[in-house]
Amino acid sequence: MQSVLQIVIILGIVVLITPILGRYIANVFLEQSTIFDSLLNPIENIIYVVCGVNKKQQMTVGQYIKSVLVSNFIMGISAYVLISFQQLLPWNPNNLNAPRWDTILHTTISFLTNTDQQHYIPETTLSHFSQTAALGFLMFTSAATGLAVGIAFIRGLTGRKLGNFYTDIIRAIIRILLPISIIGAIALVALGVPETLEGTLVVKTLEGRTQYIPRGPVASFEMIKMIGQNGGGFFAANSAHPFENPNSVSNLIEAIAMIIIPASLIHSYGVFANNLKQSWLLFWMVFLIFVIFVWVTVAGEMQGNYLANQIVGIEIPNLEGKEMRFGVGETGLWAVITATTMTGAVNGMLDSFMPQGIFCNLSSLFLQMVWGGQGTGTANLFIYLILTVFITGLMVGKTPEFLGRKIEQREIFLASAILLIHPIIVLVPSAIALAYPNSLSGISNPGFHGISQVVYEYASAAANNGSGLEGLQDNTLWWNLSSSLTILLGRYVPIIAMLLLASSMSNKSTVPQTRGTLRTDSVMFTSITACLTMILTLLTFFPVLVLGPVAEGLNLVSGN
């Protein structure tokens, strides 16, 4: 009962905050007045002058894409160099040397793309300078990049010009990410999260043993990790570590921080489109799918392991891998939030979850729209919406239009490319790794669970999520390079296609609604969108789900 109450409180707060933050985000990018203008306008203008950005300049789609790619490339090179020479730089109290080149490459690409997949132990691998100046910097810029692309996509859908990437990324950091991160970090410090440049503390225990307690600027790192849907931990235990997540209040704050921006962006779309009815329908559609995932996951953990229950004679929860400070319910909720928002942070061990939970997490990584990543998740939601308009329009003989603009061959080609790149970059490398279980895969748990481990790693990389079934032995040359390629393709191919699609829609002239126009702001159409989204995803990934978590669950129930 307590777990249910905690889940209801978190979801209730999200529903209350969504329209407020959604309206604020819309006002920021529509350049309308906000309550923070008097404070932030001077700061923003100074940055424009220093960086040479003309905030009034509108970019073409080619310029916007080029700006995204060039800026990300430069930021990635800078972070790679900083980590490579961390032993020569300050804030290295533990005198750590640089990691292997392939580990640095994977880490840089991972944090550059808002994925934050970690194949290393942070507290024994990276200095405080690398964690803050390299990774902390990338956590802000990668989140802002995704948010800028998401807003540009919404602009295009609603008939506006795409905007200016540099203006968008600066506004995203200065007016959204940075203020929330500062307030959140102060709150976390007050709750006991450390913020220091001191190194590892060495203490003697009561038994006379030596204990090493790692420390660092954790609070500032933690908040942008959550609000930016980054997910990479300052410590290997991530948000199960008491220095990252010390109590139930910090757990509440961090859980809400993960979900609030992608949830609010749906409302922001309603403001842009002047159609709040449709945005609320889409919000509740996503919310319902999310709640179903939470229910299935938490129920599976509460029912526990069938084989263990048979031995003890009663039904006991699956406590393995759970953070008992928060309980089974909140750990299950967190697991679903971290998968659906593409954050990747964990406050328990996902590898120890029952097959139901792994099924829901994999499904979330395959869907990428229940809430989805920073900015790009909202765009994925509308990709499914556009495909639904086209398919249902053809089925009932009505004109496929969205917001008064015809959906034609070019838009469907780009939407299809966005959806098809995902299974290609997940399933192909998974098949290669599974074909060489001894030399490549790194599976620690053979059988059906081992298949889930491998597929989850690539699905997490392709969806820019970063979480994993951590029994996998992934800090190898194969995993670092293959997952880096998956991350890059999973990030930039959809972004390019999204911007091209948005530009195409923006350049179309609107046509008046007629009796043949298919309305997209109805309960019926939203229900069809939900069903079609599930069908398209299952058609692509159901065989993998059957070979992994479904087969594992059936195997447990059969007593094998």
Side-chain angles (χ1 to χ4, degrees):
M1 185 63 186
Q2 182 181 358
S3 295
V4 174
L5 180 61
Q6 292 169 338
I7 292 172
V8 170
I9 290 173
I10 290 175
L11 297 184
I13 293 173
V14 169
V15 172
L16 290 174
I17 295 176
T18 290
I20 300 172
L21 182 58
R23 172 71 66 172
Y24 173 76
I25 292 174
N27 288 343
V28 165
F29 291 104
L30 286 170
E31 298 190 28
Q32 297 178 357
S33 61
T34 66
I35 58 175
F36 302 113
D37 284 352
S38 58
L39 174 64
L40 298 179
N41 277 345
I43 299 174
E44 192 176 292
N45 290 332
I46 291 173
I47 295 175
Y48 289 145
V49 172
V50 172
C51 297
V53 174
N54 179 4
K55 65 179 182 179
K56 298 297 183 182
Q57 178 188 0
Q58 295 291 322
M59 289 184 172
T60 65
V61 64
Q63 291 171 329
Y64 207 102
I65 292 172
K66 180 181 178 181
S67 298
V68 171
L69 297 179
V70 170
S71 63
N72 277 230
F73 178 77
I74 293 173
M75 289 186 289
I77 293 294
S78 301
Y80 185 94
V81 171
L82 288 178
I83 298 173
S84 298
F85 293 96
Q86 69 174 12
Q87 68 270 26
L88 304 177
L89 298 172
W91 302 353
N92 187 12
N94 298 323
N95 298 315
L96 298 173
N97 292 319
R100 297 196 321 265
W101 72 269
D102 56 303
T103 302
I104 301 175
L105 179 65
H106 175 267
T107 301
T108 301
I109 290 174
S110 184
F111 279 79
L112 174 69
T113 56
N114 204 229
T115 307
D116 304 282
Q117 195 176 57
Q118 294 174 289
H119 289 173
Y120 62 95
I121 300 174
E123 53 263 54
T124 61
T125 304
L126 297 181
S127 68
H128 295 344
F129 190 87
S130 294
Q131 295 261 51
T132 53
L135 302 190
F137 167 74
L138 290 180
M139 286 199 290
F140 273 100
T141 56
S142 64
T145 297
L147 191 52
V149 169
I151 291 296
F153 186 82
I154 291 174
R155 286 195 187 111
L157 288 187
T158 55
R160 296 172 172 84
K161 294 183 178 181
L162 297 185
N164 184 309
F165 171 71
Y166 297 114
T167 302
D168 289 342
I169 194 174
I170 290 170
R171 282 180 164 267
I173 293 174
I174 298 299
R175 294 180 177 270
I176 299 171
L177 298 175
L178 193 58
I180 298 176
S181 296
I182 291 173
I183 295 170
I186 293 172
L188 291 181
V189 169
L191 292 169
V193 178
E195 183 71 18
T196 177
L197 294 177
E198 296 294 330
T200 299
L201 181 65
V202 182
V203 297
K204 289 290 184 180
T205 66
L206 294 177
E207 295 87 358
R209 299 176 181 272
T210 301
Q211 184 175 359
Y212 300 90
I213 304 175
R215 299 174 293 179
V218 183
S220 56
F221 189 96
E222 187 73 12
M223 202 57 204
I224 185 56
K225 155 189 159 182
M226 296 304 184
I227 200 67
Q229 282 79 62
N230 289 286
F234 197 93
F235 304 106
N238 208 283
S239 294
H241 197 291
F243 281 0
E244 289 199 29
N245 190 7
N247 51 55
S248 58
V249 179
S250 65
N251 195 70
L252 174 72
I253 292 172
E254 292 175 19
I256 292 172
M258 282 191 283
I259 198 172
I260 193 58
I261 287 183
S264 299
L265 277 173
I266 300 176
H267 189 86
S268 299
Y269 158 78
V271 177
F272 270 86
N274 195 27
N275 192 345
L276 291 179
K277 177 185 177 182
Q278 185 181 36
S279 65
W280 275 117
L281 285 171
L282 292 171
F283 174 88
W284 290 118
M285 179 193 80
V286 173
F287 188 87
L288 179 60
I289 298 173
F290 173 77
V291 169
I292 292 172
F293 282 163
V294 172
W295 174 68
V296 172
T297 299
V298 174
E301 299 308 310
M302 295 302 293
Q303 290 170 0
N305 189 309
Y306 177 80
L307 296 179
N309 292 345
Q310 291 291 100
I311 294 173
V312 299
I314 59 173
E315 189 175 277
I316 58 174
N318 174 32
L319 301 180
E320 181 185 343
K322 303 299 180 299
E323 177 49 73
M324 297 313 299
R325 290 177 299 147
F326 310 128
V328 174
E330 279 203 58
T331 306
L333 170 66
W334 186 292
V336 178
I337 292 177
T338 198
T340 54
T341 61
M342 305 305 147
T343 303
V346 293
N347 71 350
M349 181 60 72
L350 296 181
D351 192 52
S352 298
F353 270 60
M354 299 303 297
Q356 296 96 312
I358 295 175
F359 179 94
C360 290
N361 271 28
L362 276 172
S363 298
S364 300
L365 298 178
F366 296 153
L367 285 166
Q368 297 191 87
M369 45 67 70
V370 186
W371 312 99
Q374 186 92 310
T376 55
T378 307
N380 277 316
L381 173 61
F382 286 99
I383 294 300
Y384 283 109
L385 197 68
I386 288 171
L387 287 174
T388 304
V389 171
F390 184 77
I391 293 172
T392 53
L394 294 178
M395 291 173 64
V396 300
K398 291 191 175 183
T399 306
E401 298 171 3
F402 185 69
L403 298 180
R405 294 168 179 82
K406 290 184 180 294
I407 298 174
E408 298 173 305
Q409 179 182 1
R410 177 178 171 82
E411 291 74 48
I412 296 303
F413 173 80
L414 292 169
S416 300
I418 293 169
L419 295 186
L420 289 175
I421 186 64
H422 191 57
I424 291 172
I425 59 179
V426 172
L427 299 179
V428 171
S430 294
I432 295 172
L434 290 170
Y436 299 93
N438 296 323
S439 56
L440 294 183
S441 71
I443 293 173
S444 63
N445 193 340
F448 303 120
H449 190 82
I451 295 174
S452 296
Q453 284 183 323
V454 171
V455 174
Y456 195 106
E457 189 76 3
Y458 285 115
S460 172
N464 301 139
N465 174 269
S467 64
L469 304 184
E470 292 303 338
L472 194 71
Q473 300 167 14
D474 50 23
N475 191 16
T476 64
L477 184 64
W478 162 257
W479 277 111
N480 285 335
L481 296 184
S482 64
S483 58
S484 292
L485 180 60
T486 298
I487 288 169
L488 288 172
L489 293 175
R491 176 69 164 181
Y492 294 111
V493 172
I495 280 180
I496 292 170
M498 286 172 184
L499 291 171
L500 289 172
L501 193 155
S503 176
S504 179
M505 292 292 287
S506 174
N507 293 328
K508 290 178 180 288
S509 57
T510 57
V511 295
Q513 288 190 354
T514 66
R515 295 183 62 183
T517 302
L518 182 67
R519 293 193 62 86
T520 60
D521 57 353
S522 66
V523 175
M524 176 64 74
F525 180 82
T526 306
S527 302
I528 294 172
T529 302
C531 293
L532 187 61
T533 299
M534 292 299 177
I535 291 171
L536 289 174
T537 303
L538 287 177
L539 285 173
T540 307
F541 291 106
F542 192 67
V544 171
L545 292 170
V546 169
L547 290 172
V550 173
E552 184 182 1
L554 293 174
N555 193 50
L556 283 176
V557 174
S558 67
N560 294 324

